[in-house]
Amino acid sequence: MAQAKNKGAGAVMVVGGGVAGVQAALDLTELGYYVYLVEKSAAIGGAMAQLDKTFPTNDCSL
Amino acid sequence: MEAGRSPNIEILSNADFLGLDGKAGDFTAKVRLRPRYIDADKCTACGLCTKYCPRHLVDEYNEGLALTRPIHIDYPQAVPATYFIDPDACMHLQHGTCKICVPVCRSKAIDFDQKAETRQINVGAVIMSPGFGRVPEEALTKYSYGDHPDVVTSLEFERLLNPSGPFMGEVRCISDKRHPKNIAFIQCVGSRDLGCNNGYCSSVCCMYAIKEAMVAKEHDPDCEITVYYMDMRTQGKDFDAARTRAEEQFGIKFVRAKVADVMPWERQLKLTYATMDGKHHFEGYDMVVLSVGLDSPADAKNLAKTGAFDLNHYDFCKTSTFAPLASSHDGVLVAGAFQGPKDIPESVTQSSAAAGLVSGLIKKQRGKGVVTKTYPDEQAVAEDDEVRIGVFVCHCGINIAGVVDVAKVANYAGEMEDVTYYAESLYSCSQDAQEVLKQRIKEHRLNRVVIAACSPRTHEPLFQETLKDAGLNRSLFEMVNIRDHCSWVHANEPAAATDKSMDLVRMGVAKARNIKPLPEQTVPVTTKALVLGGGIAGMTAALNMADQGFQTYIVEKNGQLGGQLLKQHYTLQGDKVADLVKDVTGKIKKNKLIEVFTDADLSAVNGFVGNFTSTITVGKKETSVDHGIIVVATGGKYHQPETVLGAKLPDSKAIVTQNELEKQLAGKGKTRAPKSAVMIQCAGSRGDDLAYCSKTCCNDAVKNALKIKEINSASQVVVLYREMRTYGYAEDAYREAREKGVIFIPYAKDQMPKIDKKGAKAEVSFHDPILLEDVTIAPDQVILSVGIVPEDTEDISKLLKIPINADRFFLEAHVKLRPVEMPVAGVYVCGLAHAPKPLDEIIVQAQAAAAKAAIPLVKGYVSVEPTVSNVDKDACIGCGLCESLCPYKAIQIHKIDKKRKAETIVASCKGCGICASHCPTFAISMGGFTDEQITAQIKAFGEMREE
């Protein structure tokens, strides 16, 4: 995954890899930008990854 | 998660954001990557290292309720799926001993020589989404949290409910592992609490408490659950309905009371609470759940310093009502809970909105940094070519091989007809296994691939990608799930699990014989947008589309832009609405990419995503426009209720609505503020004319009450309410209103106030639950907080074939994850047409809709999944059943040579198969799931194996 190349101003940094950060990152790539997703813990997902089911669809949160 | 696979997202996990220099459009960010001590390229996430690691560590992921080891992964689906070593707990990193994991790891991934690395990264913009923090300890300890193990936080309770949690999804007391027979939830822990400087409402706790209570009831229907609350703030779309369900269907008790304390009491916990009438009560519980609020992130101050932006007085990111996602630093945006406590759908909406804003900000750089993957030319596979199937059976470490005899399954597959190659693989999803797969496809000229491993939901895209890399059409692939369906569910019956695996593989091979390559289709897109509605939602969406470089039409039915905003004067935060209207309409006028049609009607819409043609009618003039997407922002309006508080509303000039009062207060007259006023909340809502909560009326009441007090501090204002839903920071204003002498008196649904006409005045009688007396007041004015209704949604629903809910608001594609998209591709929704919401939320939602809508326009094409329906024109009798059933407007009847025939609009088709399953002449087949393939699979199931 590691890519040393610098993507310049066409890139965006997203600080925080919870559901908000991941969604922002996904949308940014679809809109034509390269994303650096910075997460302080070892994996992305944030608090949502700890949830069991979510209202109202009872979907699994992962 | 998808993010892990995108070639354009680089995940820097275990990393710290250390600095930001430069300016919007050209920042240099500094990031430190802490070592994982495990080589991510080599780690296969087999889990052997955790098994051998000798030391225990409290598992933070399970809220400290379980144990893990210093070398671990939080959960199996984690992205990146690489284990890591906690340096503070590892015996080798702390004391230079141990290193047991190094020889254990078969892929030699453990590397204790890894060092921290600092990177300077050039970016155009930054989005801050660090989430939320935990409320202070003192907010918890006053309820004996920490003193008694059965007092848990709602997050801990969430883990208890989770099948991957500490008791495998069983709710048990932490103290003695018994199943609790009664549970109490305490709301507003660490929220609406000045004691810990969290004066705001966290907005999410009422709803999650209801969800947790319902799930707990599903686990154990005999468990009694009581929720102690101040106000149940279930103001979101369809939230009240969930609360009613919790009460009526699940028998969950809701008690309005303030909990004084929780004390250990024999085997139980004694909860002391005071009800409205001032009486104290005691109750014993097996378990107490504290509904903890969302605090600002622990490192908020540091982040603000690093990113050079301001925080508000609660240490969340400071923003404004009219630009809710812009931090004080140009080019640094904020999304999610760091902007203010909020739930998942709102966080997701903000994220899309922030992405769209960034896209407008640095549009000149669009596409310059992205990596586009190229694939070799696809090898042609013709109908009469020899079928050459390759079968790969995965061990998944010990996940499958620990139960299923993988070698036996693979050898069995090898004996099957048309199977040219078969193999076992330790981890078929690992990077090196993909290389092997590619080589084998080429060496053995395979033209069908069957992988017997885990779930296609998670891994099918990975293998299909490898097929493409090998020059094979990705549809020439079949996945057999022998992990979930065999080794997991039959963990204790290895022989039977192996038999079942063999059966499933036989069926997979049978299907594979019949699979055909499916075309990868793309449909070109008209890169223009049409926004229906010129209120603040529509204008915001249009401006954002234009900022991103797309020509946009606004269709407004009134003579001028502005919508409901024209009726408003000031916001709860004190902003002047006229400023916003002037600013936005001015920008629209100046923008050359936006064309506005006023007094206009959208009279016809034809086509599909990327290729709509619409007719805009102004008077007698019709204009035809082509556009790729539609944003529906048709708005709403104040409801004029006929039934208020369960009775017909008397006709009196002394009775006005909040909006009428706002206009009066914004005027110049000296006597514009009534000397005495009674405000009535939920007038016509939540059971009267309207079933739902309109989310904004409590804020409006507080706003106007404060305005009255500002004009004349001697005025007497009484607010009669069911629940004050001043969620988020609006709680501050609610508190301020009480401090300034506004009297708030709750009423119950079964004891509603009464409004009567008395001469020129109106008289209000109600029961005061604190004085325990009936009171009658005849104020100068009675002010009704009326709800919001959507405008014309039924007509538009028919025109665009998009669904509306029971309350006549548009129904989004997925409440949580796709909150601004409609099930019909290319149609987006925002503003009051979606649900009632305050101004700042409307603005964000409109920005989000514009971001989502821009995606197909940026690409310039819509890609079509190969699995779409296909009509056999000869067999089709043109009955139209498919057209009427399709939820996506993706199959239509056309006249071909004077005969009615169905036709699939591949760009809109989601491949659900409803049309195929209902077609009376079997004329419709689904790519990848044809009758032929499924029949072959079923036949193979019936074939006996020779032992």
Side-chain angles (χ1 to χ4, degrees):
Chain A
M1 205 62 219
Q3 278 166 350
K5 247 168 103 192
N6 233 343
K7 303 291 170 187
V12 181
M13 179 165 288
V14 176
V15 180
V19 63
V22 169
Q23 183 66 50
L26 289 171
D27 286 342
L28 281 165
T29 61
E30 297 251 36
L31 289 167
Y33 301 93
Y34 190 87
V35 179
Y36 296 96
L37 183 57
V38 179
E39 166 59 41
K40 67 174 190 281
S41 70
I44 59 171
M48 189 166 168
Q50 283 185 305
L51 304 184
D52 176 22
K53 290 167 181 165
T54 55
F55 172 83
T57 48
N58 269 4
D59 282 345
C60 156
S61 57
L62 289 166
Chain B
M1 280 197 191
E2 253 177 276
R5 278 196 302 271
S6 170
N8 286 309
I9 299 178
E10 195 173 331
I11 298 173
L12 309 172
S13 60
N14 233 7
D16 304 305
F17 174 58
L18 289 186
L20 187 67
D21 292 318
K23 59 177 179 16
D26 188 18
F27 285 120
T28 304
K30 200 163 117 189
V31 174
R32 182 180 54 212
L33 298 154
R34 280 172 271 124
R36 298 177 87 93
Y37 302 107
I38 291 175
D39 186 337
D41 293 334
K42 288 185 188 156
C43 175
T44 58
C46 69
L48 223 50
C49 53
T50 304
K51 282 216 163 69
Y52 279 90
C53 180
R55 196 162 177 197
H56 287 285
L57 176 71
V58 171
D59 184 2
E60 297 288 337
Y61 174 70
N62 269 316
E63 289 294 317
L65 299 177
L67 289 173
T68 181
R69 310 283 171 151
I71 185 165
H72 70 281
I73 193 164
D74 281 342
Y75 51 101
Q77 301 93 328
V79 176
T82 306
Y83 278 56
F84 69 100
I85 297 174
D86 182 339
D88 297 331
C90 171
M91 303 228 284
H92 177 67
L93 290 167
Q94 286 296 315
H95 311 293
T97 58
C98 187
K99 270 187 149 177
I100 286 176
C101 50
V102 178
V104 167
C105 181
R106 292 189 193 169
S107 46
K108 302 195 172 24
I110 293 159
D111 176 8
F112 280 110
D113 295 329
Q114 279 187 2
K115 295 275 179 297
E117 178 199 347
T118 305
R119 281 175 63 180
Q120 306 274 351
I121 300 172
N122 183 215
V123 292
V126 179
I127 296 175
M128 299 299 301
S129 54
F132 56 87
R134 310 214 155 191
V135 302
E137 278 292 305
E138 63 259 32
L140 309 176
T141 46
K142 67 179 174 191
Y143 299 115
S144 289
Y145 181 82
D147 292 341
H148 195 291
D150 295 336
V151 181
V152 298
T153 67
S154 44
L155 260 175
E156 289 163 358
F157 194 68
E158 187 81 39
R159 294 309 305 162
L160 288 176
L161 292 173
N162 197 305
S164 78
F167 301 126
M168 319 293 261
E170 276 187 61
V171 178
R172 288 171 181 275
C173 291
I174 314 284
S175 57
D176 56 4
K177 314 284 182 278
R178 73 183 192 276
H179 291 274
K181 283 295 142 206
N182 53 358
I183 302 174
F185 277 79
I186 303 177
Q187 298 305 110
C188 300
V189 176
S191 307
R192 303 177 72 184
D193 180 1
L194 288 179
C196 59
N197 190 33
N198 287 354
Y200 57 86
C201 157
S202 292
S203 311
V204 299
C205 329
C206 285
M207 206 49 217
Y208 77 58
I210 290 173
K211 178 203 78 175
E212 289 187 0
M214 290 201 285
V215 177
K217 269 281 198 190
E218 275 171 4
H219 285 231
D220 180 4
D222 296 331
C223 180
E224 295 286 330
I225 300 179
T226 311
V227 180
Y228 291 93
Y229 71 98
M230 292 201 270
D231 298 278
M232 277 320 275
R233 291 190 169 164
T234 45
Q235 62 273 348
K237 190 177 184 179
D238 294 334
F239 286 11
D240 264 338
R243 186 235 165 124
T244 313
R245 209 164 58 236
E247 221 163 346
E248 289 169 6
Q249 234 179 63
F250 286 80
I252 292 158
K253 262 176 36 189
F254 289 87
V255 177
R256 182 178 232 148
K258 187 96 181 125
V259 176
D261 66 8
V262 175
M263 299 296 279
W265 183 40
E266 294 178 356
R267 280 182 75 210
Q268 281 196 312
L269 290 151
K270 186 173 75 176
L271 193 136
T272 310
Y273 63 97
T275 41
M276 291 289 267
D277 51 19
K279 288 188 185 134
H280 280 71
H281 310 262
F282 309 98
E283 203 80 58
Y285 287 98
D286 288 339
M287 188 177 240
V288 170
V289 183
L290 306 178
S291 293
V292 290
L294 311 185
D295 212 322
S296 62
D299 53 351
K301 283 202 170 81
N302 255 330
L303 286 173
K305 211 172 135 196
T306 312
F309 54 84
D310 297 337
L311 298 177
N312 70 11
H313 61 294
Y314 292 126
D315 282 351
F316 287 89
C317 185
K318 188 176 177 177
T319 62
S320 71
T321 318
F322 299 157
L325 304 182
S327 80
S328 59
H329 189 170
D330 198 22
V332 179
L333 292 121
V334 60
F338 186 41
Q339 190 260 1
K342 64 180 54 64
D343 59 7
I344 295 166
E346 259 187 69
S347 294
V348 170
T349 308
Q350 288 201 335
S351 303
S352 298
L357 291 172
V358 165
S359 169
L361 200 68
I362 54 170
K363 74 161 177 272
K364 287 198 182 115
Q365 267 81 31
R366 175 184 297 145
K368 289 191 181 154
V370 290
V371 185
T372 335
K373 215 181 149 182
T374 50
Y375 300 97
D377 286 341
E378 209 174 281
Q379 151 201 346
V381 177
E383 193 108 347
D384 48 0
D385 278 3
E386 180 200 358
V387 173
R388 299 177 68 86
I389 303 174
V391 181
F392 298 81
V393 187
C394 183
H395 285 242
C396 196
I398 52 164
N399 246 317
I400 293 171
V403 179
V404 172
D405 184 345
V406 174
K408 194 174 169 193
V409 177
N411 290 330
Y412 173 64
E415 292 162 14
M416 285 178 213
E417 206 186 327
D418 299 328
V419 173
T420 327
Y421 179 80
Y422 68 98
E424 296 169 46
S425 157
L426 188 58
Y427 284 102
S428 31
C429 59
S430 66
Q431 212 55 49
D432 53 323
Q434 303 313 303
E435 289 307 316
V436 173
L437 180 57
K438 255 188 270 179
Q439 281 165 19
R440 297 294 174 265
I441 290 174
K442 285 185 186 142
E443 275 169 32
H444 299 272
R445 292 183 294 117
L446 302 176
N447 55 19
R448 309 282 192 288
V449 173
V450 175
I451 292 189
C454 54
S455 167
R457 279 179 61 117
T458 51
H459 284 77
E460 190 177 62
L462 172 79
F463 296 127
Q464 290 188 326
E465 184 81 11
T466 309
L467 257 65
K468 279 164 85 176
D469 282 338
L472 214 51
N473 182 283
R474 67 170 159 143
S475 300
L476 296 168
F477 173 72
E478 178 64 17
M479 202 161 170
V480 180
N481 187 349
I482 58 167
R483 186 191 66 182
D484 301 19
H485 297 173
C486 301
S487 69
W488 278 2
V489 287
H490 307 296
N492 298 322
E493 305 151 275
T498 304
D499 282 351
K500 187 174 171 188
S501 300
M502 286 153 69
D503 289 342
L504 290 177
V505 168
R506 186 175 67 243
M507 291 165 72
V509 169
K511 184 179 171 191
R513 269 186 212 116
N514 290 290
I515 49 182
K516 296 184 178 72
L518 295 173
E520 299 283 332
Q521 308 175 64
T522 55
V523 179
V525 159
T526 309
T527 54
K528 291 179 190 172
L530 185 138
V531 176
L532 188 55
I536 187 62
M539 291 193 292
T540 306
L543 267 179
N544 191 244
M545 291 303 293
D547 280 347
Q548 295 188 71
F550 302 110
Q551 197 182 336
T552 305
Y553 305 107
I554 300 181
V555 181
E556 166 59 45
K557 69 172 179 186
N558 292 319
Q560 73 182 110
L561 297 174
Q564 291 299 310
L565 225 48
L566 300 172
K567 292 184 187 161
Q568 286 172 25
H569 302 271
Y570 46 86
T571 67
L572 181 61
Q573 295 78 13
D575 318 273
K576 279 201 190 108
V577 176
D579 295 348
L580 175 67
V581 177
K582 208 173 136 194
D583 178 49
V584 176
T585 49
K587 276 186 190 156
I588 285 180
K589 237 177 235 157
K590 264 190 265 164
N591 201 312
K592 291 198 179 73
L593 288 172
I594 302 177
E595 191 177 340
V596 181
F597 294 85
T598 47
D599 289 315
D601 190 30
L602 186 67
S603 41
V605 178
N606 286 305
F608 50 88
V609 57
N611 296 277
F612 290 107
T613 303
S614 298
T615 310
I616 302 168
T617 311
V618 182
K620 280 183 184 157
K621 196 181 158 215
E622 288 190 347
T623 314
S624 174
V625 294
D626 293 335
H627 52 102
I629 60 95
I630 304 174
V631 176
V632 178
T634 44
K637 60 183 173 200
Y638 289 110
H639 177 56
Q640 290 297 337
E642 287 172 5
T643 312
V644 169
L645 304 170
K648 204 173 154 5
L649 187 68
D651 184 27
S652 166
K653 276 194 177 148
I655 305 175
V656 298
T657 64
Q658 286 289 358
N659 187 242
E660 287 159 352
L661 174 71
E662 183 177 326
K663 189 180 172 194
Q664 173 190 324
L665 295 175
K668 294 219 160 64
K670 260 194 177 156
T671 54
R672 63 189 194 275
K675 283 202 190 69
S676 59
V678 174
M679 295 184 176
I680 295 174
Q681 299 306 105
C682 303
S685 299
R686 295 180 68 195
D688 283 340
D689 285 4
L690 309 177
Y692 53 90
C693 162
S694 286
K695 207 175 182 183
T696 58
C697 336
C698 284
N699 287 2
D700 283 344
V702 169
K703 169 177 91 175
N704 288 337
L706 280 169
K707 199 77 179 176
I708 293 175
K709 283 286 188 189
E710 183 191 312
I711 298 163
N712 180 7
S713 60
S715 286
Q716 191 199 34
V717 185
V718 176
V719 182
L720 298 177
Y721 70 99
R722 291 212 2 226
E723 267 136 342
M724 280 311 284
R725 292 180 167 174
T726 45
Y727 61 98
Y729 305 132
E731 184 70 15
D732 282 346
Y734 176 34
R735 191 178 327 102
E736 187 190 339
R738 278 175 292 163
E739 282 162 8
K740 291 206 165 134
V742 178
I743 299 163
F744 291 86
I745 301 172
Y747 69 86
K749 209 183 164 190
D750 51 13
Q751 210 171 18
M752 302 236 233
K754 254 184 76 192
I755 311 172
D756 294 301
K757 195 173 168 178
K758 199 182 180 197
K761 284 192 172 181
E763 192 178 73
V764 183
S765 335
F766 58 92
H767 177 78
D768 187 324
I770 295 165
L771 299 173
L772 293 173
E773 272 176 26
D774 290 331
V775 182
T776 301
I777 315 180
D780 287 353
Q781 278 184 309
V782 173
I783 297 123
L784 304 180
S785 291
V786 296
I788 293 169
V789 286
E791 206 147 9
D792 305 337
T793 43
E794 272 129 350
D795 295 345
I796 294 158
S797 161
K798 279 185 206 130
L799 186 68
L800 297 171
K801 209 176 173 185
I802 49 179
I804 48 178
N805 69 7
D807 300 324
R808 297 190 300 120
F809 292 98
F810 289 117
L811 187 61
E812 56 273 37
H814 188 289
V815 179
K816 234 167 200 82
L817 301 173
R818 293 170 63 203
V820 296
E821 290 164 75
M822 286 279 123
V824 176
V827 183
Y828 306 84
V829 68
C830 58
L832 298 181
H834 161 267
K837 59 182 73 65
L839 184 53
D840 51 343
E841 288 173 33
I842 292 175
I843 293 174
V844 169
Q845 205 182 22
Q847 290 165 341
K852 287 288 186 188
I855 291 172
L857 306 191
V858 164
K859 285 191 175 155
Y861 63 86
V862 188
S863 40
V864 180
E865 278 297 306
T867 309
V868 291
S869 73
N870 194 349
V871 183
D872 175 355
K873 293 274 186 319
D874 293 334
C876 174
I877 52 168
C879 68
L881 187 62
C882 50
E883 186 186 30
S884 67
L885 289 170
C886 177
Y888 307 108
K889 213 180 170 181
I891 195 159
Q892 284 171 1
I893 298 287
H894 291 296
K895 279 226 164 116
I896 300 172
D897 300 335
K898 292 186 183 168
K899 281 185 184 155
R900 282 161 52 85
K901 297 286 174 193
E903 196 171 22
T904 306
I905 296 159
V906 289
S908 304
C909 181
K910 309 271 188 215
C912 69
I914 289 177
C915 53
S917 63
H918 283 77
C919 179
T921 58
F922 304 104
I924 304 176
S925 69
M926 300 303 298
F929 295 90
T930 61
D931 291 350
E932 189 192 12
Q933 291 163 7
I934 293 171
T935 318
Q937 226 174 342
I938 296 170
K939 274 194 186 141
F941 172 66
E943 284 165 18
M944 296 301 286
R945 234 177 311 113
E946 289 165 35
E947 285 300 325

